């Protein structure tokens, strides 16, 4: 309940921020927060997100301190489909651990997770709402469909190495699962929510949530506020993160963040700087019409080959079949436009009458 109270307070503070700007999402990075967005990086796109951080940790009950540095690296790649993404998360840390008169230097990988994410539902697949040239009122009212989130799922596996950070009797391999939602409330505000279960079947099993609120300050700058709640037998906590990002270009972004938890057992403080870089030269945007992918001529030819019982068609016959299919598609599109016109004219007359009454 205490974590929920802090979350409500944090979201309320963000809601009072009334800067005028527009949200930018060119590179689609998860930094500097701890949550994962619902959308993938895109087919054949490679994205690397990494950073350096400083940490200060102390425990009021066990009476120890740990101070040091670390680095985290996430590699993301869009495979086979626009909706599918593979990722590898690594975190390396080195610190000085002091327990009374005992002190030692520690180092090692704290996290190694390989996983896959798939986008199940995209509310913007058909494109954003088109402007209505006949009605000022229709263009300025809130689009309630924006409250419908994009939804994706994540499955991964943790690999625990035998180093200074390993917990005794912890499993070497353990599963991780996550449900991800992403709301684009308007062009400025984005809310990402993760519900996760981590290190399943391990003695360090934990579950919880991450809520990240992002606000676009202008075309280059964005700010974020995040709350992460963790519940487990070995460790439970609530962590808040504030951060900012700066977009150098559509494929390169810098970030900075500070994180603080709400407990003293342990008391955690993190501060970090990071960068996200994307390589998208091999990516091609799929053609979407009416929420469906429009097939290219080469794809139509493949279908014609499959339809042929003998599987023997000349190149000339394939070209004719593809041309015929393309003409039919254009004809269908034209018919749809003609059907919509009377409705638009009727709507225009209704709006004119309403405005004259006012």
């Amino acid at each position: 309940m205490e974590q929920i109270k802090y979350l409500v307070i944090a979201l309320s503070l963000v809601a009072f921020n009334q800067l005028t700007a527009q949200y930018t999402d060119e590179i689609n990075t998860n930094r500097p927060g701890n949550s994962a967005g619902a959308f993938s990086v895109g087919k054949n796109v490679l994205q690397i997100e990494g950073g350096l951080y400083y940490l200060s940790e102390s425990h009021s009950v066990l009476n120890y301190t740990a101070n040091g540095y670390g680095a985290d690296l996430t590699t993301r790649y869009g495979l086979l489909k626009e909706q599918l993404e593979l990722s590898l998360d690594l975190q390396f840390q080195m610190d000085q651990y002091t327990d009374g008169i005992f002190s030692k230097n520690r180092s090692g990988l704290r996290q190694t997770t390989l996983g896959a994410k798939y986008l199940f539902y995209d509310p913007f697949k058909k494109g954003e709402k088109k402007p209505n040239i006949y009605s000022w009122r229709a263009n300025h009212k809130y689009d309630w469909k924006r409250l419908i989130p994009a939804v994706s799922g994540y499955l991964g596996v943790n690999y625990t190495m035998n180093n200074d950070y390993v917990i005794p009797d912890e499993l070497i391999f353990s599963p991780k699962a996550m449900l991800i939602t992403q709301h684009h409330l308007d062009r400025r505000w984005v809310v990402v929510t993760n519900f996760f279960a981590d290190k399943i079947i391990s003695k360090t099993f934990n579950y919880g949530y991450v809520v990240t609120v992002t606000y676009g300050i202008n075309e280059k700058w964005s700010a974020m506020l995040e709350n992460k709640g963790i519940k487990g037998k070995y460790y439970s906590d609530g962590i808040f993160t504030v951060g900012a990002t700066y977009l150098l270009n559509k494929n390169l972004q810098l970030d900075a963040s500070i994180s603080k938890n709400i407990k003293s057992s342990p008391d955690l403080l993190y501060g970090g700087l990071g960068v996200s870089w994307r390589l998208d030269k091999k990516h091609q945007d799929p053609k979407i019409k009416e929420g469906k992918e429009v097939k290219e001529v080469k794809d139509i030819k493949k279908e014609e080959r499959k339809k042929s019982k003998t599987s023997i068609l000349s190149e000339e016959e394939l070209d004719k079949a593809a041309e015929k299919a393309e003409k039919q598609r254009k004809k269908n599109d034209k018919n749809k436009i003609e059907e919509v016109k009377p409705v638009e004219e009727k709507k225009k007359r209704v709006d004119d009458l309403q405005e004259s009454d006012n």
Side-chain angles (χ1 to χ4, degrees):
M1 291 299 294
E2 186 177 3
Q3 292 181 17
I4 295 175
K5 179 181 72 175
Y6 281 113
L7 175 61
V8 172
I9 295 173
L11 294 180
S12 300
L13 290 173
V14 174
F16 283 112
N17 191 350
Q18 297 296 325
L19 298 176
T20 57
Q22 185 173 355
Y23 170 74
T24 59
D25 60 350
E26 283 84 353
I27 192 173
N28 183 25
T29 176
N30 292 327
R31 292 190 60 88
N34 295 292
S35 64
F39 296 95
S40 71
V41 293
K43 183 180 177 181
N44 297 326
V45 174
L46 174 66
Q47 187 162 306
I48 298 175
E49 306 170 7
L52 301 174
Y53 63 87
Y54 167 80
L55 75 139
S56 176
E57 178 180 344
S58 62
H59 203 292
S60 60
V61 178
L62 300 179
N63 193 29
Y64 74 79
T65 62
N67 296 279
Y69 301 89
D72 47 54
L73 177 68
T74 298
T75 302
R76 304 166 61 188
Y77 184 74
L79 184 67
L80 299 178
K81 303 180 68 175
E82 289 292 321
Q83 298 91 338
L84 180 62
E85 174 186 298
L86 300 181
S87 62
L88 175 63
D89 297 310
L90 302 172
Q91 184 185 47
F92 177 84
Q93 185 171 306
M94 53 184 180
D95 59 42
Q96 185 176 49
Y97 177 87
T98 303
D99 181 5
I101 60 173
F102 173 77
S103 180
K104 67 174 293 189
N105 292 323
R106 304 185 302 180
S107 64
L109 280 170
R110 298 200 65 170
Q111 179 186 1
T112 305
T113 306
L114 177 65
K117 179 176 67 177
Y118 189 84
L119 178 66
F120 292 106
Y121 178 72
D122 178 8
F124 301 104
K125 189 173 183 179
K126 294 184 179 181
E128 293 195 11
K129 184 179 178 181
K130 296 180 180 180
N132 189 331
I133 62 175
Y134 302 112
S135 174
W136 181 92
R137 186 179 303 171
N139 287 329
H140 288 78
K141 70 178 182 180
Y142 184 74
D143 184 7
W144 293 101
K145 290 183 179 179
R146 286 184 172 273
L147 297 180
I148 302 174
V151 180
S152 64
Y154 171 92
L155 289 176
V157 59
N158 299 296
Y159 173 61
T160 303
M161 294 187 177
N162 187 15
N163 55 32
D164 292 329
Y165 300 104
V166 69
I167 298 171
D169 301 324
E170 186 174 4
L171 293 179
I172 297 177
F173 295 99
S174 59
K176 179 179 181 179
M178 187 159 51
L179 175 66
I180 305 168
T181 65
Q182 183 166 333
H183 294 79
H184 287 254
L185 301 181
D186 59 22
R187 294 181 180 274
R188 307 176 188 180
W189 294 93
V190 177
V191 179
V192 174
T193 306
N194 294 176
F195 301 97
F196 65 87
D198 197 9
K199 298 190 176 181
I200 303 170
I201 73 174
S202 173
K203 66 179 295 184
T204 56
F205 165 70
N206 63 85
Y207 61 92
Y209 67 88
V210 186
V211 178
T212 307
V213 181
T214 305
Y215 182 79
I217 299 174
N218 54 42
E219 292 183 354
K220 295 293 185 180
W221 289 94
S222 293
M224 58 81 67
L225 175 63
E226 180 179 271
N227 174 241
K228 181 178 182 180
I230 309 169
K231 181 67 175 178
K233 291 183 178 180
Y234 181 78
Y235 176 63
S236 298
D237 208 342
I239 303 172
F240 284 92
T241 301
V242 293
T245 64
Y246 181 76
L247 190 69
L248 288 175
N249 58 55
K250 70 173 187 176
N251 291 323
L252 187 63
Q253 178 180 282
L254 304 178
D255 65 77
S257 64
I258 297 176
S259 299
K260 181 72 178 70
N261 70 331
I262 60 176
K263 295 175 60 178
S264 61
S265 56
D267 186 325
L268 302 173
L269 176 64
Y270 287 83
L273 300 172
V275 61
S276 300
W277 173 75
R278 179 177 67 178
L279 179 64
D280 60 351
K281 291 183 178 180
K282 294 184 178 181
H283 179 259
Q284 292 183 351
D285 291 328
K287 295 181 179 179
I288 303 296
K289 191 173 184 64
E290 300 296 331
K292 296 181 179 180
E293 186 173 342
V294 178
K295 296 179 180 178
E296 302 290 345
V297 173
K298 62 180 181 180
D299 296 324
I300 297 174
K301 288 183 178 181
K302 287 181 181 179
E303 288 188 357
E304 291 298 327
R305 284 195 178 96
K306 290 180 181 179
K307 289 179 182 178
S308 175
K309 294 181 180 180
T310 60
S311 297
I312 301 174
L313 288 175
S314 66
E315 193 65 28
E316 184 179 353
E317 289 174 324
L318 289 172
D319 289 336
K320 287 182 179 180
E323 184 179 354
K324 182 179 179 181
E326 182 68 14
K327 286 182 179 179
Q328 185 63 41
R329 184 181 66 80
K330 290 181 179 179
K331 183 179 179 181
N332 293 338
D333 292 343
K334 184 179 179 181
N335 291 336
K336 287 181 181 179
I337 294 173
E338 291 177 351
E339 290 175 1
V340 171
K341 280 185 178 179
V343 178
E344 291 179 343
E345 291 296 330
K346 182 178 179 181
K347 188 174 182 181
K348 178 183 177 183
R349 290 195 296 271
V350 172
D351 289 338
D352 290 340
L353 288 173
Q354 289 177 346
E355 291 178 1
S356 62
D357 291 340
N358 295 333

